[in-house]
Amino acid sequence: VDFPVHVSEYLGMNTLIALIAIIHVMISHGAAVGGGTLVAYLEYKAIKTQNDELDRFAQRMLRVFVIVTTTVGALTGVGIWISTTIAQPASIGFLLRVFFWAWFVEWLVFITEIVLLFIYYFSWKRLSEPGKANHARLGRYYAAASFGTLVLIVGVLSAMLTPGDWLTTGSFFDATFNPTMLPSLFFRLFLATSLAGIYSLILFRLFGPKQSDGSQRIIPLLSRWLLVSAVLMIVALVWYLAKVPAAATALLIWGVGFKSAAMFWGINLAMMLAVLLLAAYLWRKPPQQLSWLAVAVIFVSGMFFTFEMEMARESARKPFVIHNYMYANGIRLQDSTAINQKGILASARWSRVKDVTADNRLAAGREVYVMECSVCHTVDGVNARRDMKKITAGWSWAAIDGYVANLNSFRSFMPPFFGTEKERQALTDWIYSLRGEKQ
Amino acid sequence: MTGAALVGSIPWEIPGPIWLLKPLLVFAFILHLLFVNWMLGSMGLSVLAEYLGRRKGDERYFRLATDLSKWSIVNKSLAIVLGVAPLLLVSVLYSGFIYPATQLTANTWLILVPWLIGALWVCYFYYMRCDSWMARDRHLAIGLAGTVLLACVPLLFATNMVLMLLPELWWNTSSFFQALFYPTVWPRLVHFYVATAAMAGVFVMAIGAVYAGRGEQEAGYTDFVVRWGAGWAFWGTGLQILAGLWLLFSQPEKVFAAFWGGPYTWLVVTVFCLALGFMLWLQRLRTRGAGRVWQRRELLRGLIVFVTVILLLMATTRHLVREIHLEGYTRGHDRNIAVLICGDPDKEAV
């Protein structure tokens, strides 16, 4: 409660972060880590089989990946940083300090990655040109650097959910090598290669060589890549879920937005099966040309799954932003007693109202909302499930007040209310006033 | 609310010795800024070269425009990625200042992301149409749009860097456009844009230096590129001396006093002399008789020495400006910084 709170009226900052992060994952994983690996692999295959059409296709794929990763990929990465800084300064400030040297090394790896990417891209050679083997080696270095960027960031992300011994020892190494670090690394690696496989099928449909011997050999290559990646990813996912706390697993389904577990499993298993079967079919019986329908089914499933996983990862942590250390609204566990005594308004450096009086109840209530709720909740926002007005529509004053007083028992994924009784009642007043009626 | 009451802190140790992290910040920052200058400069000069080529009917300008647009792609990506370390360091070392400043201009920061993605797409498009659309109106228009989109971005960064130095203005600040007109923002921006012109000149000369190593058949183009770049570097540096003085005189009294008669006067004098020396060197190159062959090594040596020294000193100056600004606020907030700047308050008590 040391920093100002920026209220995002329509989405809520946490939803905005999640959206930026999902786009970032689709590109950083699919086009950079997975894409780099796949292009390097295809170039290697092209040399080995002297398939010039495959070589040209790999080059064109790389061009798309270069443009997408260096624009949307890079900037959404910056976007995650900006949006988390705005929404969660206390949390991100803490993480930057704990993982400072990891991020510093990440910076060096990023520079290496970008430099290699541009050299690799601008120096692409035809199969017949001298130095082609060296060029292919450059591709492997680029893929390795991309993988390096993934390793470092996975340490940070997994520690936020499963800090392990870190919270007691405070050691950077305990934080990085936390219980879910390895499973999430492998999960993300194979998610990356799967996404790359999916993108490659779309790109092949868009500008792959057609109706020739060379093209006949490319579709099986790409679909086999996708199939193997997807299977490995599922194995890693099972491993990961086994390491995640049970309470967090239960939150996954809710976090994605499904009403029932049956629906969640039904849709996911159906999509996964569809992708696996299609990939297997394309591998064993490659058609003359890919059908848009097959490509669309694979693409939509892949995007939906990525979206789901990121949403789930974000919500699995709840009610914390850093497990057992800091709540989603930036309040530290260890500060909660002091805040309950002193009041949230008096504790918050930037609150515009410092005390609840008879005249300022609504203004004070809104300020409490800004400090404690607005990171996730909105008023008249796009997501009805997070909209304070819609959630409490038709509730009596006493019902709202009772709910706020026992938030964490009603909703295990929400932090408890922090502050004095007067502040809680002011918050209730304000929530009640949203419907435009007088009490 | 007083400014000091609004400076928050992160209750966790700064992850390294300050004597290491602050110089690291200065170094990482100037490296980032150099590539920001180059990204904007190479884009802007590419469009300008295309325009001049069309007006003068000189093919060499078209070739330079193509070279520059290709490099602007690389410069942009490096500028972005090089920004990670300075952002990381400034966030860790000045958490209590950078976070409020960022949050007070939050909406603009969030717009920055799609804005820059759009700008970069426009620049990629410009680069990829260099062969087929060179000298056409629409190609020029696209290049100009890309340059303008990029040129807007520093407005936000400069504003944020100034706003973080002014906690006394935070309580009544509600938007970026308000903070954009706070004291020293515009002199700072002018100092940046003029630097971009000078550094773009340096970049063009470096391209010339690359061609200088390619022998006889490139001699004509090399000569053209080096002279054109040297012109930009020369006039850019000259203007930059004036812009720098304006920025210095616009500083609040305590900062100005430190550099004008105070302990850091040597910095201003040294940079001034080095800038003059750089201009003299450039002028010698510019007035060299036609037909002389350019030596890659000679060009690169001069550029690297002058630019590295001047930039490091300017980055140090910039860092000191920040430290002097924040002197009054750090005590008791962020202990590590407070100890470094003000001495250890506990020790003083003993």
Side-chain angles (χ1 to χ4, degrees):
Chain A
V1 277
D2 245 9
F3 298 100
V5 177
H6 174 74
V7 182
S8 167
E9 306 284 351
Y10 299 103
L11 278 176
M13 280 306 296
N14 270 3
T15 308
L16 189 62
I17 294 174
L19 289 180
I20 299 174
I22 287 165
I23 299 174
H24 182 71
V25 165
M26 286 169 179
I27 291 164
S28 65
H29 287 41
V33 179
T37 317
L38 178 54
V39 170
Y41 171 72
L42 292 182
E43 190 186 13
Y44 160 80
K45 274 284 183 190
I47 296 174
K48 225 177 126 186
T49 58
Q50 286 299 304
N51 185 340
D52 192 51
E53 279 172 310
L54 177 59
D55 188 63
R56 281 169 198 274
F57 175 63
Q59 185 186 13
R60 295 189 73 175
M61 243 171 76
L62 180 62
R63 181 207 275 192
V64 175
F65 288 158
V66 165
I67 295 175
V68 176
T69 51
T70 58
T71 58
V72 187
L75 267 306
T76 46
V78 177
I80 294 176
W81 196 326
I82 292 174
S83 56
T84 50
T85 295
I86 292 167
Q88 302 277 7
S91 154
I92 202 76
F94 170 72
L95 290 171
L96 288 188
R97 289 179 186 213
V98 173
F99 290 100
F100 176 82
W101 292 106
W103 260 306
F104 194 81
V105 174
E106 180 92 328
W107 177 60
L108 299 174
V109 182
F110 269 143
I111 297 172
T112 314
E113 183 198 11
I114 291 290
V115 170
L116 284 172
L117 173 61
F118 277 112
I119 300 176
Y120 186 51
Y121 172 59
F122 281 123
S123 67
W124 195 285
K125 293 177 167 54
R126 295 271 70 84
L127 280 180
S128 51
E129 282 181 87
K132 181 65 176 169
N134 281 334
H135 182 262
R137 190 168 304 138
L138 210 54
R140 293 198 278 278
Y141 294 154
Y142 165 62
S146 288
F147 179 67
T149 65
L150 182 69
V151 174
L152 289 159
I153 198 67
V154 160
V156 181
L157 286 178
S158 52
M160 289 170 76
L161 176 60
T162 53
D165 298 333
W166 162 44
L167 288 179
T168 44
T169 62
S171 147
F172 162 76
F173 292 99
D174 284 333
T176 304
F177 300 104
N178 63 78
T180 59
M181 196 267 183
L182 273 185
S184 45
L185 176 63
F186 281 105
F187 170 68
R188 281 177 183 276
L189 172 63
F190 295 123
L191 172 68
T193 53
S194 304
L195 286 176
I198 293 174
Y199 299 159
S200 71
L201 289 173
I202 300 174
L203 295 178
F204 186 84
R205 183 64 187 78
L206 280 174
F207 52 63
K210 288 173 185 81
Q211 316 276 326
S212 69
D213 288 351
S215 78
Q216 282 301 294
R217 279 181 277 146
I218 298 177
I219 295 178
L221 207 56
L222 302 179
S223 37
R224 190 181 65 193
W225 173 278
L226 171 59
L227 185 67
V228 172
S229 300
V231 169
L232 290 172
M233 180 191 76
I234 292 169
V235 173
L237 178 62
V238 172
W239 180 19
Y240 175 75
L241 288 176
K243 291 276 179 184
V244 168
T249 325
L251 266 178
L252 295 181
I253 297 170
W254 184 88
V256 180
F258 280 109
K259 291 222 159 54
S260 72
M263 209 167 138
F264 171 81
W265 288 113
I267 291 184
N268 275 292
L269 290 177
M271 282 191 154
M272 225 166 247
L273 213 61
V275 171
L276 293 178
L277 288 176
L278 268 172
Y281 177 78
L282 292 175
W283 172 29
R284 300 312 303 179
K285 289 201 178 348
Q288 284 292 318
Q289 178 55 282
L290 290 170
S291 86
W292 269 120
L293 183 67
V295 173
V297 168
I298 292 177
F299 176 70
V300 171
S301 306
M303 292 300 101
F304 181 76
F305 182 71
T306 312
F307 170 80
E308 239 182 19
M309 282 316 299
E310 287 303 306
M311 289 304 271
R313 191 185 55 77
E314 289 281 329
S315 44
R317 274 201 310 261
K318 286 176 183 175
F320 299 104
V321 62
I322 301 166
H323 193 78
N324 272 336
Y325 176 78
M326 186 181 283
Y327 285 106
N329 51 16
I331 292 175
R332 291 193 308 162
L333 234 61
Q334 60 196 89
D335 296 335
S336 51
T337 324
I339 292 175
N340 284 336
Q341 279 164 8
K342 205 171 150 194
I344 180 76
L345 295 179
S347 311
R349 212 178 268 282
W350 279 83
S351 68
R352 301 262 158 181
V353 181
K354 292 292 174 197
D355 195 18
V356 184
T357 64
D359 312 325
N360 74 358
R361 295 185 68 84
L362 290 185
R366 186 186 141 78
E367 202 62 17
V368 174
Y369 156 78
V370 167
M371 295 296 156
E372 293 201 31
C373 327
S374 69
V375 164
C376 303
H377 286 286
T378 57
V379 175
D380 290 327
V382 285
N383 186 349
R385 292 205 313 168
R386 290 172 182 263
D387 189 325
M388 299 277 262
K389 207 162 144 182
K390 292 201 181 98
I391 294 169
T392 61
W395 293 18
S396 69
W397 189 96
I400 298 175
D401 193 53
Y403 190 77
V404 172
N406 298 290
L407 270 183
N408 195 238
S409 343
F410 283 115
R411 294 283 191 193
S412 59
F413 49 80
M414 284 177 70
F417 172 82
F418 297 115
T420 61
E421 197 180 330
K422 260 164 66 182
E423 287 172 334
R424 191 191 73 226
Q425 289 171 350
L427 175 63
T428 306
D429 282 350
W430 178 77
I431 297 174
Y432 193 82
S433 76
L434 290 175
R435 63 195 70 179
E437 294 166 19
K438 294 271 176 274
Q439 307 173 30
Chain B
M1 289 299 275
T2 63
L6 295 175
V7 180
S9 63
I10 302 288
W12 198 264
E13 281 295 303
I14 286 181
I18 302 287
W19 56 260
L20 174 67
L21 298 186
K22 286 198 172 174
L24 213 51
L25 170 62
V26 173
F27 173 75
F29 171 77
I30 199 62
L31 197 61
H32 164 62
L33 197 61
L34 177 64
F35 276 87
V36 170
N37 282 155
W38 281 351
M39 110 176 161
L40 182 58
S42 50
M43 189 62 202
L45 285 193
S46 174
V47 180
L48 190 71
E50 181 177 4
Y51 172 75
L52 288 175
R54 194 167 83 160
R55 223 186 54 183
K56 297 182 178 175
D58 187 339
E59 288 289 328
R60 293 175 305 178
Y61 280 109
F62 293 147
R63 187 173 169 194
L64 181 59
T66 309
D67 278 345
L68 278 171
S69 75
K70 179 175 175 177
W71 273 108
S72 80
I73 301 294
V74 179
N75 287 338
K76 276 183 264 281
S77 281
L78 283 172
I80 293 168
V81 81
L82 285 169
V84 170
L87 186 57
L88 175 65
L89 282 155
V90 86
S91 299
V92 165
L93 290 169
Y94 301 95
S95 319
F97 303 95
I98 185 80
Y99 287 154
T102 308
Q103 287 178 302
L104 292 173
T105 51
N107 282 326
T108 317
W109 279 106
L110 294 174
I111 292 169
L112 174 80
V113 174
W115 183 286
L116 253 178
I117 291 174
L120 296 186
W121 277 347
V122 172
C123 295
Y124 261 108
F125 191 61
Y126 175 79
Y127 158 66
M128 292 192 296
R129 284 284 176 273
C130 267
D131 287 337
S132 48
W133 286 5
M134 185 55 80
R136 290 202 199 169
D137 282 342
R138 57 183 147 174
H139 194 240
L140 276 171
I142 291 164
L144 192 63
T147 310
V148 172
L149 286 173
L150 284 182
C152 289
V153 174
L155 297 177
L156 177 58
F157 280 82
T159 302
N160 214 48
M161 289 295 117
V162 171
L163 185 59
M164 73 173 270
L165 304 181
L166 303 169
E168 64 273 18
L169 298 179
W170 288 350
W171 191 246
N172 293 316
T173 302
S174 55
S175 78
F176 158 71
F177 288 102
Q178 187 188 353
L180 180 59
F181 298 99
Y182 281 171
T184 77
V185 174
W186 282 95
R188 216 178 236 255
L189 278 167
V190 170
H191 201 50
F192 166 82
Y193 288 122
V194 179
T196 298
M199 283 301 136
V202 167
F203 192 77
V204 172
M205 290 175 74
I207 293 181
V210 171
Y211 282 108
R214 294 198 184 162
E216 203 78 351
Q217 70 272 29
E218 296 285 12
Y221 182 60
T222 306
D223 187 64
F224 163 76
V225 171
V226 171
R227 283 175 196 273
W228 203 62
W232 279 96
F234 178 82
W235 291 109
T237 308
L239 262 179
Q240 185 69 332
I241 293 175
L242 298 179
L245 286 173
W246 181 32
L247 179 56
L248 178 60
F249 280 93
S250 73
Q251 292 295 324
E253 183 53 36
K254 63 176 176 179
V255 179
F256 177 74
F259 290 94
W260 198 261
Y264 304 129
T265 312
W266 66 271
L267 262 172
V268 176
V269 175
T270 311
V271 172
F272 180 77
C273 295
L274 279 168
L276 283 183
F278 186 46
M279 287 177 73
L280 276 175
W281 180 71
L282 290 167
Q283 188 57 18
R284 237 190 52 217
L285 297 184
R286 275 155 48 87
T287 52
R288 194 181 265 190
R292 266 197 61 180
V293 180
W294 295 100
Q295 299 297 325
R296 177 189 278 187
R297 183 178 299 220
E298 178 201 3
L299 283 170
L300 286 182
R301 193 168 41 200
L303 288 176
I304 290 170
V305 169
F306 273 116
V307 170
T308 309
V309 177
I310 292 177
L311 287 190
L312 281 178
L313 290 179
M314 283 314 294
T316 308
T317 307
R318 180 181 175 284
H319 179 71
L320 290 169
V321 168
R322 169 151 62 209
E323 298 282 293
I324 298 168
H325 260 283
L326 298 184
E327 242 167 22
Y329 294 106
T330 42
R331 186 183 291 259
H333 289 295
D334 204 318
R335 220 184 125 69
N336 281 325
I337 296 180
V339 169
L340 189 88
I341 299 173
C342 316
D344 193 331
D346 296 338
K347 270 189 194 154
E348 281 169 24
V350 177

